[in-house]
Each structure stands twice: as structure tokens, then as C-alpha cells.
Amino acid sequence: MNRFARLATRLLAVPLGIVWLEPAGEAAGAVPECWPAGAEPDPAVPACCRLVAEDGMPRFLSRVGGGSEDGDGDAAFAFAGVPLVGGSGELLGVLAVTDRAPRQWSEDDVRDLSDLAAACSAQMRMRTRSETVRQAREAAEGEATRVHELLNRSELLLRASEDLADTSGLDDVRRRVGDLVGGGLDPAGIDLVLVRQGMLHHVTGPADDDVGPTPRRLAEPFGLVSHWPVARAVREHRMIVVDGPSAADGAGAAPGPPATPATPAFDGLRLATAACLPLRGTHGTLGALVLGWEAPYEIGVDERAVLTTLAGYTAQAVERALHLDERVTVARQLQRAMLTELPGVPGLELSALYRPAARDDMVGGDWYDAYPLPVAPGGAATGALSLTVGDITGHDMRAAALMGQVRSMLRQADHDHAGEGPEQALCALERACRRLNLPASGTAVHAHLTPADDGHWRLTWSNAGHPAPLVVTADGAVETLVRHDVLLHHALTPGPRTCDSRSLPPGSTLLLYTDGLVEERGGDIEDNVDRLSHRLAAAPPGVPLDALLRSLLDSVGPRDALDDAVLFAVRVAAS
């Protein structure tokens, strides 16, 4: 009884569930239970008594108490109760749930509680058998097996509600469904199909797939209006059971596997029974979950309730996964749109690499930028280049939006302060953020790169609390550009910033990066910076910059990317 009360609270998302029994039920050896254990069942008990006393029909009331005609007591609450019926139609009790606040009970709520009451009634009826000793023993053995299966199904649904609640993608949903049904329902075949543009597409596990007994042959997408039973289940929004050739060829056919498999993924498998379960989402049917068994599999009322509930949990997980996939896709497109296409500059090779954090929105506030510097009024064109690598705090859509604003404002600051150093642009950015009340905080390295004599380039930079850039010369010597000022923060009063400069000879490489490259949980950031320096110094001469950046990310970057990472490299052409 405790299990059914607990399962009722989980399925209907209510704080209290109760199995209330008539005296006949108590005399049969059953014990009234409620969940949470030890909770006070009032005021549900008076409502259960009234349900039995009046008409014995299920009642789903959105408001009980508070002076209403259906109420018992003064406090308003929601009540839903379904009678528990004995083998001869007698009332044994009530399976009920209550909520502290009034609520509207959905059709799914009504169906779920009714299905649970049917299973609970079946368990209670087992206690009222009155047969001979031999018949009682045989019946007890059969009922014990059945009750064990019911309890296993209840546990399956409890695990499904937990395991499918935190899935992160469609392949994860597919894998967890395989794990769940593989240990309880034991199907020989599993298929998950989703509706996309009028077609049904198969969803596979990570390797199509070593999870469960899934067919290894990948099937092509097929039409929603096709003859496959799974397509019919999606079109008609109901469970379709394919049970032997009689389901396809008419009654009277010899027992055997279905003439038409339930789904193309089952083609070639000799399955005696298959169940096509539609996945009902918020805005329509998402697809279907198909389970198949090699031996005839009886799908009675109890099993149908279990399969329907399992399909409901799967549909919720699929809908959430589709939403996350869409959100990540949009976020990645936004991030790509805001990352700079690097300009072509004679005498320089430029390359950048961005890796988002492996969580949240898969985007963040890390960015790189490069663009020609404007010519100062009355000055001559120099071919100078502006370089920036920055990190706005956060790795979500908000951080990406702030990053886009800061990036544009810093570009404008360079144009407004043409001919001045990079520190002036950073100061102008801070003042603008403060005037506009833009809550941007983070770090950045802003640099100007100007061609000099004999193939050299003059690097001038200002560092606002950012990891120090690295310079490696053609002979493999690495220098850390350590000079820096305080970070950017909207709560700090803007003050003067400093800059420094050095010459970049031919063959030298400048590396700018964000802390996502060298920072990891439980690690020492200084050790990782040293490792980065050694890797940079050991790089083969002339290796393409894009290959160099990928190598540095793979060898130095943390495996569990909890933060975004940007690598931006500039190489001066060898003379």
C-alpha cells in the first residue's frame, strides 16, 4: 500500500497520497498507508468516506473545504480519489491524493490515478481469495508472481521518473530508456522515432548502440503516412500492439512473428509482440517508443498502464532534449555571429580558436577581435592592427550578449581615440559602461600592432587583469608579458591605465588566451601556464597556427571544460 501511495504522489506531483481501506479491507489483512510515511492523512479521510458513502464513483475536486458544499473542515485543498474494487465489485477502499492548494486535474492525472487504482485493487483482491487449500496455494503462487511483477513495474516507473528527469540530449534519452526497460520489461528490440518535417527519424544511442538489445542496423527515415504500425500509432495518438500475424493478416492465422514489423528498425527480427507507444508532447505527438519481444507478450490493463506512463516520462525527456538542442543551436549561431572573421594582413599570420564551456548554454563571454586601426587625423596610414582577447564573466546567453556590447564599444573607442594607445581605448570603454549602467565585468588584453623596420612589428598592449600573453621567438625562447592593471568591473571607479610595448622580430609568435585554457578544478593554474609555455616553445618551426592552437588546446586545456576558452595567435613572417 505504501508503494502505491508513494507512486501516486510522484505521478501526480502532490504532497500526500493515501490508500484508505474499508473495514472489510482491513479485516482481510491489509494495512492503511499514506505517503510520506507517518503523515497525518486528514483531511483526506473524510473525503474518502464521503466518496464511498455517496456513490462510489471517482472524484476529482479542484477545491474542497473553505465552506464549499463538498468540503470537510475549513482549509481549502484539492482532492482526487478513485475507489478500490474487490473481485465481486465490492468497495475495498480508496486510492487518493491531496494538494494543499486548489488545482485543476488534467486528463492525464485522471488516467494515471485510475490506472494505479486498478493495479492497487488487483493487489488487494489477492488477499480476499477464498478457495480450497490446493486452489489457494496455486492462486497464491500465481498472484505472488503477478504482485512481484506489479511491484517491479512500480519500481520501474519510480526509476523512470528519476532517471529521465535530468537527461541532457536525445542520445542520452535513448540510452537511459534502454537501461530502464532492459532490466524490467526485457524487450528484444527498442526503437525511438521522432517526427521531423513529416518524416519519422530513428534516434540511436552513442554507438548505435551497446545499450540494451537494440537492432544494430540503422534504418532510414520513413513517412508519417506510411504503412508501418509505429506511424499509425503516431497518427492516431494511441498505443498500437502488433501481436502475431493475426494483427496484420486477420484472425485465424497461425501463431508466429508479425508479417509486418512494427517499425523499420525491427525488419529482419523475429519478434512475436511489439508495442508502439506514442510520445505525447505539449504541442502534439513527438514520435513513438517501440518495444518488441521475441515471445508472445501479454499486454493487459496493468501492463498497458505501465507502458503508457513510461511513454509519458520518455515524452517529457524528449521534449526537454529537443528544447535544449534548439537552445544550444541558437546560442552557437549567436556566438559564431559575434566572433570576428580575421583580416588578412601582409607580413602577419593570424589564427583564433574558440571552445565553449561544456554546460549551460554552450556559449559565453570569451571573445577575440582583430581589425585595422583607424588613421589619426592628419596622419598617414600605417597598416596598424588592433588585437583583443577578453573574458566577460559568465558562460551563458547573458554573458554572450554583454560580450557583444563590450566588443562593439571597444572598437568604437579605438576609432574615437585614433592615434592613441590601447590603454586609452580601455579607459573609454570603462567610462561608457559606467555612464550606460552596463553591468559588464571581466578581463581583457587590448593591443596595437604596428609595422616597423626590417620586418619587425611593434606591439603595444594594456592588460586589464587578464592572463599574461606569451611571445615565442624564432629560436624557441618564450617571454611572458607580465605587466597588467586591475580587471574591468562596473562597480570600480574608472582610473588611468598603463601600457607597455616590445618589438616582435620576424618568426616570432604572440599568443593571447583566456583562463579557460589553463584553469581547471583541483589544478594549479601556474603549473598549467608553465606547461603551455613549454608546449609553445617545443612547437615545430613553421607549423600552421591553426594546427598549433588545436594542439595547445588538446594538450593543455582541461578535459572537463567548465569555462569557455579562446586562443588567438599572431605570427610575424620570417624574413
Side-chain angles (χ1 to χ4, degrees), residues 156 159-160 163-164 167 170-185 187 190-192 211-214 279 289-291 310-311 313-315 317-318:
L156 171 66
R159 287 190 291 111
D163 291 353
L164 295 176
T167 49
L170 290 177
D171 57 344
D172 191 24
V173 173
R174 169 63 189 81
R175 178 183 63 80
R176 296 202 191 192
V177 169
D179 289 342
L180 284 166
V181 301
L185 300 174
I190 304 170
D191 192 25
L192 179 62
V211 179
T214 305
L279 303 177
L289 172 65
V290 190
L291 306 178
L310 176 63
Y313 285 129
T314 304
V318 166

Side-chain angles (χ1 to χ4, degrees), residues 75 84 93 109 145 210 404 427 463 514 533:
L84 303 174
D109 294 336
T145 301
D210 295 330
C427 289
N463 188 330
T514 59
S533 298

Side-chain angles (χ1 to χ4, degrees), residues 230-249:
V230 63
R232 180 183 166 199
V234 175
R235 292 195 305 268
E236 299 178 5
H237 315 294
R238 66 185 183 92
M239 182 190 304
I240 299 294
V241 178
V242 182
D243 194 6
S246 60
D249 301 333

Side-chain angles (χ1 to χ4, degrees), residues 211-299:
V211 179
T214 305
R216 291 185 178 275
R217 187 181 67 82
L218 285 177
E220 295 294 327
F222 56 101
L224 184 58
V225 296
S226 62
H227 67 284
W228 299 99
V230 63
R232 180 183 166 199
V234 175
R235 292 195 305 268
E236 299 178 5
H237 315 294
R238 66 185 183 92
M239 182 190 304
I240 299 294
V241 178
V242 182
D243 194 6
S246 60
D249 301 333
T260 300
T263 174
F266 289 177
D267 193 16
L269 298 179
R270 297 186 60 83
L271 302 177
T273 303
C276 308
L277 313 171
L279 303 177
R280 298 183 178 89
T282 304
H283 303 293
T285 301
L286 305 171
L289 172 65
V290 190
L291 306 178
W293 294 268
E294 293 178 340
Y297 193 87
E298 181 180 356
I299 302 179

Side-chain angles (χ1 to χ4, degrees), residues 188-568:
I190 304 170
D191 192 25
L192 179 62
V193 296
L194 298 182
V195 179
R196 292 175 180 169
Q197 298 180 340
M199 301 288 286
L200 289 172
H201 294 253
H202 301 270
V203 177
T204 61
D208 187 44
D209 145 54
D210 295 330
V211 179
T214 305
R216 291 185 178 275
R217 187 181 67 82
L218 285 177
E220 295 294 327
F222 56 101
L224 184 58
V225 296
S226 62
H227 67 284
W228 299 99
V230 63
R232 180 183 166 199
V234 175
R235 292 195 305 268
E236 299 178 5
H237 315 294
R238 66 185 183 92
M239 182 190 304
I240 299 294
V241 178
V242 182
D243 194 6
S246 60
D249 301 333
T260 300
T263 174
F266 289 177
D267 193 16
L269 298 179
R270 297 186 60 83
L271 302 177
T273 303
C276 308
L277 313 171
L279 303 177
R280 298 183 178 89
T282 304
H283 303 293
T285 301
L286 305 171
L289 172 65
V290 190
L291 306 178
W293 294 268
E294 293 178 340
Y297 193 87
E298 181 180 356
I299 302 179
V301 174
D302 297 335
E303 199 74 1
R304 185 176 290 263
V306 170
L307 293 176
T308 301
T309 304
L310 176 63
Y313 285 129
T314 304
Q316 293 176 11
V318 166
E319 195 165 43
R320 183 171 54 253
L322 291 174
H323 173 72
L324 291 175
D325 286 348
E326 180 181 3
R327 180 172 176 175
V328 168
T329 299
V330 171
R332 286 175 172 171
Q333 291 173 347
L334 172 64
Q335 185 83 55
R336 262 195 306 271
M338 290 191 294
L339 294 177
T340 301
E341 183 176 349
L342 298 177
V345 180
L348 295 178
E349 179 186 358
L350 287 78
S351 182
L353 180 62
Y354 172 80
R355 182 203 60 189
R359 65 178 185 181
D360 296 336
D361 289 333
M362 299 289 286
V363 297
D366 290 24
W367 91 95
Y368 62 87
D369 203 0
Y371 49 88
L373 280 171
V375 178
T382 63
L385 189 70
S386 176
L387 310 172
T388 310
V389 164
D391 182 1
I392 296 300
T393 304
H395 34 79
D396 53 18
M397 294 284 283
R398 178 178 179 274
L402 282 173
M403 176 268 286
Q405 293 175 276
V406 169
R407 170 180 170 272
S408 298
M409 292 166 65
L410 187 56
R411 281 191 168 205
Q412 185 63 46
D414 259 337
H415 281 264
D416 290 344
H417 296 268
E420 301 183 30
E423 76 282 3
Q424 297 302 324
L426 284 177
C427 289
L429 168 67
E430 288 182 291
R431 291 192 296 270
C433 288
R434 193 171 182 85
R435 285 195 299 267
L436 299 174
N437 198 27
L438 187 68
S441 61
T443 64
V445 172
H446 188 52
H448 293 170
L449 198 56
T450 307
D453 296 332
D454 301 327
H456 288 62
W457 287 72
R458 170 61 56 178
L459 173 69
T460 306
W461 77 93
S462 183
N463 188 330
H466 199 77
L470 300 175
V471 173
V472 56
T473 56
D475 58 3
V478 177
E479 178 186 352
T480 303
L481 308 183
V482 295
R483 184 168 183 174
H484 66 87
D485 299 322
V486 298
L487 54 74
L488 303 169
H489 199 281
H490 56 88
L492 298 177
T493 302
R497 290 191 172 273
T498 63
C499 71
D500 206 344
S501 65
R502 65 152 292 166
S503 177
L504 297 182
S508 59
T509 300
L510 168 69
L511 177 66
L512 308 174
Y513 59 94
T514 59
D515 59 5
L517 176 65
V518 293
E519 194 172 53
E520 62 180 329
R521 185 176 300 171
D524 189 303
I525 191 171
E526 296 298 333
D527 291 342
N528 289 338
V529 171
D530 290 343
R531 190 151 50 95
L532 175 62
S533 298
H534 291 141
R535 292 281 185 177
L536 187 61
V543 60
L545 283 186
D546 55 349
L548 173 63
L549 296 185
R550 286 195 298 270
S551 174
L552 293 176
L553 181 62
D554 293 341
S555 59
V556 179
R559 293 182 179 180
D560 185 13
L562 300 180
D563 196 3
D564 315 319
V566 161
L567 293 86
F568 185 18

